[in-house]
Amino acid sequence: MTDVMVQAEGVRKRYGRVEVLQGIDLEVRKGAVMCIIGPSGSGKSTFLRCINHLEKVDGGRLTVDGQMVGYRESGGRLYELRDREVCQRRAEVGMVFQHFNLFPHMTVLDNVTIGPVRVKGEAKVSATRRAGELLDQVGLAEKSGAYPRQLSGGQQQRVAIARALAMQPKLMLFDEPTSALDPELVGDVLDVMRSLADKGMTMIVVTHEMGFAREVGDSLVFMDQGVIVESGPPREVLSHPTQERTQAFLSRIL
Amino acid sequence: MPVVPVRHPGRWVAAAVVVVLTVMLVHSLFFSHVVLYGRRRERFEWSVINNYFLSTQIIKALGVTLALTVLAMAGGIAIGVVLAIMRLSPNPIVTGSAWIYIWFFRGTPVLVQLLFWYNAAYIFPAFSLGVPFGPALVHFNLTTWLTPFLAASVGLALNEGAYMSEIVRAGLISVDEGQNEAAQSIGMTRLMALRLIVIPQAMRVIIPPTGNETISMLKTTSLASVVVVAELTFTVEQIYSANYKTIPLLMVASLQYLWVTSVLMVGQYYLERHYARGSVRQLPPTPWQRVRRGLLIRPGRSGYGRFADVEGIPFVQDDNG
């Protein structure tokens, strides 16, 4: 077993004529936190979605925990995955979305337990107990009976994190988790993510929160127009960017 | 300082006009008489209506109408859900077949379709299941098997399926794509996400037009009278062609349709409430809850008091929809 969780080699993705990923190479070690920054349209969200099979990779090689995304290697051949196998792979990767995407017709508790109960076939009692623990962990134990629309954005996003964690994923993907939040609610969500990182969860975070990237990230990647422009330890990239495009981007947002 | 409220003279005029018209209508309906061929009789012959309204013949016919409505809607909804899912499938053959079905059944009159199914035994006297162009395994003799009632149920259900599929499809595409992605991100299959996440949310959009379709279907079943199904309209036609009490019997049928429609509307209201869970922070009170609350709250001076949240009287918490 290697200690690499995600490895990308020349990953390409195109929508029609537009090539949104033009050969991405990166590596995320187990237990590490990688933050991806970049202007909108740079392909960072697309790359995250590729890892979770929400988009199909057109070229290159992308592996999660040694398994190639979208394919099964056997006897020197690559077999395209069936829907059921894709679902099994997805269940091992948690994802948190910019707009939370909680299920509005279910209570907070049901949102968190539906994955373990329906997908993994876990007993309702134990799923409920674990959901209670997770909601406690994100500071929302008393909200388990509420419906998502009765919660603030920050609370909804923390429920979304608990929902993803309930599947006991080996990797967590965050797609701009705080971009849709009011500024005063961002801190609570980042605190939850920080404690998750401290517990050793492998995380890839697409974000505009430079403070978070600097303090929590083990590595930082700056993407622009479908390529990785610069990467390295967060403090170095943020304080001494070597590339002109990185400097321009950082000067605009800091 | 005294407050002078705005006067609304227009409302008084309108009220007066409405009162006069109502009195005229009530008089014409219940208290007026006509003289025809030297005989004086009640204009609407309420005694005849009264005699037939609860007669065994009419109640039986109402039962047939309700059975047709239920079968046609159940079949129509089932076909509609399948067609809607087919139309959203990534498989072009599946999408195309669903499209052709909807095109055909929406493009031909339902009356013609009913006549077709009624006469289907003429084209397909027998119906077998087995190997195509090979030996048959199960055999139906349609000339005896395809009763008028069955033909009407099948015809109405197949036609309704085409309309329901568009309603269901509108519901499914009204649900944000992010819901599907979130469901898939926790490992749900496409069908699981559809069943547990998308369809329950689509119901909010699907139910009002479906209620409409059900009410419409209740009355469309009267078309089954052309294929000799003894439903409500057929039965009153039979009776008045014998006793010439045409208008009173049509009133009997109309009143029966009317009360069933009223019940369906109440049912739809509560069904909509059930599926509104989570979509609003606090459900509005039902009419019944309003009445109960109205009795608790003394009318306020402001004039808004009756329905407003008056201090000290808690809103009735609605937990079970």
Side-chain angles (χ1 to χ4, degrees):
Chain A
M1 269 318 244
T2 62
D3 60 347
V4 177
M5 181 57 82
V6 177
Q7 184 149 38
E9 293 164 30
V11 169
R12 293 177 174 275
K13 169 74 193 171
R14 58 164 66 242
Y15 293 123
R17 287 191 174 173
V18 190
E19 192 159 42
V20 284
L21 297 179
Q22 304 173 12
I24 301 293
D25 298 286
L26 58 75
E27 188 179 289
V28 184
R29 300 192 160 270
K30 283 180 182 164
V33 175
M34 173 181 277
C35 293
I36 304 179
I37 59 170
S40 60
S42 59
K44 50 197 196 312
S45 285
T46 305
F47 178 65
L48 215 57
R49 293 164 61 84
C50 285
I51 296 175
N52 208 13
H53 296 83
L54 288 173
E55 306 286 350
K56 223 174 175 156
V57 173
D58 293 327
R61 193 183 158 85
L62 180 60
T63 62
V64 175
D65 204 14
Q67 291 179 310
M68 196 163 167
V69 169
Y71 299 92
R72 181 163 38 83
E73 282 171 287
S74 174
R77 285 176 191 230
L78 287 180
Y79 293 92
E80 210 174 344
L81 289 182
R82 299 181 166 281
D83 282 350
R84 188 159 292 279
E85 297 170 299
V86 170
C87 291
Q88 282 165 4
R89 297 266 184 99
R90 277 205 192 107
E92 297 171 347
V93 177
M95 186 148 187
V96 174
F97 301 87
Q98 182 178 358
H99 296 289
F100 332 133
N101 296 350
L102 289 180
F103 307 132
H105 59 301
M106 296 179 186
T107 61
V108 164
L109 185 67
D110 289 341
N111 264 277
V112 179
T113 56
I114 190 164
V117 173
R118 296 297 189 136
V119 178
K120 284 184 155 181
E122 193 177 331
K124 186 118 195 173
V125 184
S126 72
T128 304
R129 193 181 57 238
R130 263 189 333 105
E133 289 163 15
L134 286 168
L135 287 173
D136 195 37
Q137 201 178 314
V138 299
L140 291 170
E142 78 285 6
K143 294 286 186 189
S144 67
Y147 284 96
R149 290 220 173 91
Q150 295 166 326
L151 304 181
S152 74
Q155 291 171 329
Q156 289 190 49
Q157 192 61 299
R158 285 183 278 152
V159 174
I161 294 173
R163 176 178 68 180
L165 290 177
M167 294 299 288
Q168 295 172 312
K170 54 189 178 189
L171 167 69
M172 283 285 283
L173 307 172
F174 294 83
D175 189 3
E176 303 199 27
T178 56
S179 300
L181 297 180
D182 289 337
E184 78 270 23
L185 302 176
V186 169
D188 290 338
V189 173
L190 292 182
D191 285 344
V192 169
M193 290 167 63
R194 186 173 287 127
S195 72
L196 204 54
D198 290 343
K199 285 184 184 134
M201 175 64 77
T202 314
M203 295 162 53
I204 302 181
V205 185
V206 170
T207 187
H208 293 294
E209 295 295 327
M210 299 305 152
F212 178 83
R214 184 190 299 268
E215 289 159 34
V216 184
D218 297 303
S219 59
L220 182 70
V221 166
F222 172 67
M223 277 179 73
D224 192 16
Q225 294 177 354
V227 293
I228 293 179
V229 177
E230 190 165 356
S231 63
R235 276 165 214 282
E236 231 161 82
V237 177
L238 290 174
S239 314
H240 311 288
T242 56
Q243 301 294 316
E244 212 173 294
R245 276 196 273 177
T246 320
Q247 289 162 3
F249 175 74
L250 290 175
S251 69
R252 256 182 288 133
I253 62 159
L254 290 179
Chain B
M1 206 181 290
V3 176
V4 182
V6 177
R7 305 285 174 197
H8 300 283
R11 290 185 189 176
W12 289 102
V13 176
V17 172
V18 168
V19 166
V20 171
L21 287 176
T22 310
V23 170
M24 284 170 73
L25 180 69
V26 169
H27 176 258
S28 156
L29 269 177
F30 298 105
F31 302 106
S32 64
H33 291 75
V34 283
V35 181
L36 205 60
Y37 308 125
R39 278 181 58 225
R40 185 172 184 278
R41 59 165 172 82
E42 265 189 312
R43 190 187 295 273
F44 281 93
E45 298 180 274
W46 284 96
S47 55
V48 178
I49 296 175
N50 196 30
N51 276 343
Y52 280 100
F53 192 73
L54 291 175
S55 68
T56 336
Q57 219 177 350
I58 294 292
I59 297 297
K60 258 191 194 159
L62 180 67
V64 174
T65 290
L66 290 177
L68 264 182
T69 309
V70 169
L71 285 177
M73 281 314 292
I77 291 171
I79 295 170
V81 169
V82 171
L83 285 176
I85 294 171
M86 282 171 74
R87 280 203 72 181
L88 298 171
S89 153
N91 182 337
I93 306 293
V94 169
T95 326
S97 340
W99 190 88
I100 298 267
Y101 179 101
I102 294 164
W103 167 76
F104 184 80
F105 282 94
R106 283 203 308 186
T108 52
V110 63
L111 184 59
V112 175
Q113 287 174 32
L114 285 180
L115 288 168
F116 176 85
W117 291 110
Y118 180 61
N119 293 301
Y122 177 72
I123 312 167
F124 298 107
F127 175 75
S128 340
L129 288 175
V131 183
F133 303 106
L137 302 174
V138 199
H139 202 79
F140 298 101
N141 185 356
L142 280 197
T143 43
T144 54
W145 208 67
L146 195 65
T147 61
F149 180 80
L150 187 67
S153 311
V154 168
L156 290 171
L158 289 174
N159 182 71
E160 185 58 29
Y163 288 93
M164 278 308 302
S165 79
E166 290 297 272
I167 290 172
V168 174
R169 191 171 67 99
L172 294 182
I173 58 182
S174 76
V175 178
D176 182 39
E177 180 53 27
Q179 290 291 310
N180 217 345
E181 288 183 356
Q184 292 184 352
S185 81
I186 54 172
M188 287 193 193
T189 60
R190 193 191 299 275
L191 276 180
M192 220 181 194
L194 202 59
R195 192 162 55 84
L196 298 174
I197 307 301
V198 177
I199 289 179
Q201 293 181 63
M203 289 305 265
R204 287 203 65 214
V205 174
I206 293 173
I207 282 173
T210 304
N212 212 18
E213 288 291 307
T214 309
I215 288 167
S216 166
M217 177 59 77
L218 177 71
K219 280 138 324 143
T220 307
T221 56
S222 62
L223 289 181
S225 60
V226 299
V227 294
V228 263
V229 175
E231 45 69 61
L232 198 49
T233 304
F234 181 85
T235 304
V236 300
E237 279 171 357
Q238 290 263 295
I239 299 173
Y240 70 63
S241 62
N243 68 6
Y244 302 108
K245 301 288 188 192
T246 310
I247 298 291
L249 278 153
L250 289 177
M251 295 272 287
V252 167
S254 302
L255 289 171
Q256 294 284 9
Y257 285 121
L258 206 54
W259 82 256
V260 177
T261 303
S262 317
V263 170
L264 288 175
M265 285 170 76
V266 173
Q268 181 183 346
Y269 176 84
Y270 282 96
L271 207 57
E272 278 176 30
R273 264 180 84 80
H274 174 76
Y275 282 104
R277 276 173 316 165
S279 62
V280 283
R281 284 172 180 234
Q282 173 87 53
L283 287 173
T286 63
W288 173 237
Q289 287 171 338
R290 272 190 208 167
V291 169
R292 280 200 309 192
R293 201 166 306 152
L295 294 177
L296 286 173
I297 298 170
R298 276 165 278 119
R301 262 177 306 180
S302 69
Y304 299 115
R306 240 153 60 80
F307 295 148
D309 185 7
V310 172
E311 212 181 339
I313 294 163
F315 258 50
V316 180
Q317 191 69 37
D318 186 61
D319 287 323
N320 46 17

